[in-house]
Amino acid sequence: MATESSPVTGRRIAASLAVDVLAVVLFVLIGRRSHHEGGSVVVGALRVAAPFLIGLAVGWLVARAWRTPTVPFPTGVVVWMSTLVVGMLLRRFAWSNSTALAFVIVAACFTGLFLIGWRMLVEWRSERD
């Protein structure tokens, strides 16, 4: 099990959470743009992002991510899986939106790449220092 090489500070926690939120927002913005969705960019993006941001918050709580926010496993994996599963369930049942298999696959790949990927880069970089 990986551990953080430097102490966890409030700033590090906030930065890690911000990167995770940015990853979810990027997923939504890229998806909306690729599907040429109209309407208000902000309102439309918030509507699509909301279930995944709630899933992200659940993931942070379940993983207690503030303890080791930059560790890919288990923190990153738990955050990713919670973001995906809770986000899809909320999207389907609370927001009454589609959860087509293709969308689930794309969402799983993109959010996994971003939510775990940045943590892997941080870990790789810290091992090189």
Side-chain angles (χ1 to χ4, degrees):
M1 179 177 177
T3 59
E4 303 244 343
S5 61
S6 58
V8 179
T9 62
R11 184 176 176 159
R12 185 180 189 115
I13 294 166
S16 298
L17 180 58
V19 172
D20 280 350
V21 168
L22 180 62
V24 171
V25 170
L26 276 174
F27 158 65
V28 168
L29 291 175
I30 290 169
R32 284 182 49 81
R33 183 171 171 92
S34 71
H35 291 288
H36 307 289
E37 293 187 21
S40 170
V41 173
V42 174
V43 172
L46 284 175
R47 188 174 302 130
V48 175
F52 297 101
L53 292 172
I54 293 168
L56 179 72
V58 169
W60 266 71
L61 291 172
V62 169
R64 295 190 285 182
W66 56 89
R67 298 170 101 191
T68 56
T70 63
V71 174
F73 183 81
T75 303
V77 172
V78 171
V79 168
W80 167 52
M81 291 306 301
S82 295
T83 301
L84 183 65
V85 172
V86 172
M88 287 298 172
L89 289 172
L90 286 173
R91 179 179 166 84
R92 175 70 179 107
F93 296 109
W95 272 257
S96 300
N97 286 327
S98 170
T99 52
L101 180 59
F103 176 68
V104 174
I105 292 169
V106 169
C109 292
F110 188 97
T111 57
L113 176 67
F114 279 73
L115 293 173
I116 297 171
W118 76 260
R119 289 175 167 89
M120 291 177 73
L121 288 173
V122 168
E123 185 174 71
W124 174 74
R125 175 143 177 150
S126 68
E127 287 174 359
R128 288 177 36 110
D129 291 340

